[in-house]
Amino acid sequence: MVVYWIMKKFSIKTFGCQMNVHDSEKMAGILKASGMAQAEDQSDADIIIFNTCSIRQKAEQKFRSELGRIKSVKKKRPGVKIAVAGCIAQQRGAEIFKRAGHVDYVIGPQNIHLIGDMVKSEGVKKTALEDNPDIAGLELPALRGEKGRAWVSIMYGCNNFCSYCIVPYTRGREKSRASESILREIRGLAKDGFREVTLLGQNVNSFRSDTDFPELLHKINEIEGLKRIRFVTNHPRDLSDRLVEAMERLDKVCEHIHLPLQSGSTRILGLMNRGYAYGDYKEKIDKLRDRMPDISITSDIIAGFPTETDKDHGDTVKALGEIGFDGIFAFKFSPRPGTAASLMEGQLPEDLKAERLHEILRIQDGITLVKNKGLEGSIADVLVEGLSQTDGDRLTGRTRTNKIVNFKKDPGISAGSIIRVRILEAKKHSLKGEVV
Ligand code: 5AD
Ligand code: SF4
């Protein structure tokens, strides 16, 4: 008798931050290791996973409409299993089954290691939402989606409880991985041809296991074959002189830091529970630039936090001018259920938040363009990521300062290689260059 065994296929759709992107790579790695294959397209997947984000309401809405759309897929192919993973899964839990009867599994970010067993369990609806303090001890196989550069988790969770943020509720308390486990993973990546790693954590500056973060960078810097080290995200309060020193000294650590300011008003920073005043932040920026004059600095800004006055908003606008970020991500304040800021008096109307957000973005666009223009004519090392998404005749990559550079396709240049590029023209969100 011939037994035909058909390999089950999975598809993962990811919403949100780098943490989620990498969690999806890990879930893919686990499913592959347990004998499944990645589907080319969601339409031929037996298991569809949504890795969700709840940082702002908009992210949540995007997922809601996907979940509605997938209902018809389940009607046509009742055998398809649907899993909701990520921060919405953690936050809403089994309530998701009530709202969306077509969902089979709900799995939180601290339990992704269970995804393999979960999708094999037939018939019953399942959740995996427990706190998992052991997460930092797990070594999960990741099926990485990119060539040349890789995400590496060095810590999980967050202890900060910024008053607007949902993350401490969905990802639990801070836990750092042992340095040897991280080094082993990165050595393996370098052997497999990865040139760049980005170390991931909600607040990498408070990484602490058998070593601290600057010491970890020193150790990673010694890994043969690796060319670039990046890390996200940083908390200004915890950015130490030793870290600045390590960034300056270590040749593989890139000249870029993402340092979320959130607001230029010290009063608002207090309400946000950020633990620093605007002046403290500015001092750190001065120190970074003093030691590394060409460092690129990016940030996050929230517009329209509860009680924010025109003066507070003005302080943020002033800060943008004073600091001169290379780029920012800016968002309208979004009240997240269960957070302190969602319950504060003085919530602002949507149109005021939108108006302030637009002003912030408009001012920053001007600053970014001037900064990028200053790079015209210079030569930069670019790590090639692949074809440009908007122009199939162009390749795209990043400088050490994390600027996107687009240039003409060349059959001799493949994703993962590092090449020299002359910057020809600056645009708002990217640079145009030519290979030299
Ligand atoms: N509303 C708006 N922006 C938020 N962020 C986090 N929580 C919220 C919220 N409730 C932003 C912060 C953070 C980035 C990842 O998302 O700026 O740094
Ligand atoms: Fe959220 Fe603040 Fe933690 Fe960042 S540091 S994840 S903003 S609580």
Side-chain angles (χ1 to χ4, degrees), residues 19 35-36 318 430:
M19 238 63 72
M36 292 174 215
K318 197 164 136 231
S430 65

Short mmCIF file of all heavy atoms in Angstrom, two decimals, residues 19 35-36 318 430:
data_model
loop_
_atom_site.label_atom_id
_atom_site.label_comp_id
_atom_site.label_asym_id
_atom_site.label_seq_id
_atom_site.Cartn_x
_atom_site.Cartn_y
_atom_site.Cartn_z
N MET A 19 10.02 43.44 16.70
CA MET A 19 9.87 42.34 17.64
C MET A 19 8.91 41.30 17.05
O MET A 19 9.15 40.10 17.10
CB MET A 19 9.25 42.88 18.92
CG MET A 19 10.01 42.68 20.17
SD MET A 19 11.59 43.46 20.24
CE MET A 19 11.17 45.17 20.40
N GLY A 35 7.92 19.91 10.65
CA GLY A 35 7.53 19.19 9.43
C GLY A 35 6.55 19.92 8.53
O GLY A 35 5.97 19.31 7.64
N MET A 36 6.35 21.20 8.71
CA MET A 36 5.44 21.94 7.83
C MET A 36 6.25 22.80 6.86
O MET A 36 7.44 23.03 7.05
CB MET A 36 4.51 22.82 8.64
CG MET A 36 3.54 21.98 9.45
SD MET A 36 2.56 23.02 10.53
CE MET A 36 2.40 21.95 11.92
N LYS A 318 10.13 72.92 19.02
CA LYS A 318 11.42 73.57 19.28
C LYS A 318 12.52 72.50 19.40
O LYS A 318 13.63 72.67 18.87
CB LYS A 318 11.32 74.38 20.58
CG LYS A 318 12.41 75.40 20.73
CD LYS A 318 12.04 76.44 21.82
CE LYS A 318 13.23 76.68 22.70
NZ LYS A 318 13.00 76.57 24.12
N SER A 430 14.80 58.82 1.38
CA SER A 430 15.83 57.92 0.86
C SER A 430 16.88 58.72 0.10
O SER A 430 16.73 59.92 -0.10
CB SER A 430 15.20 56.89 -0.07
OG SER A 430 14.66 57.54 -1.21
#
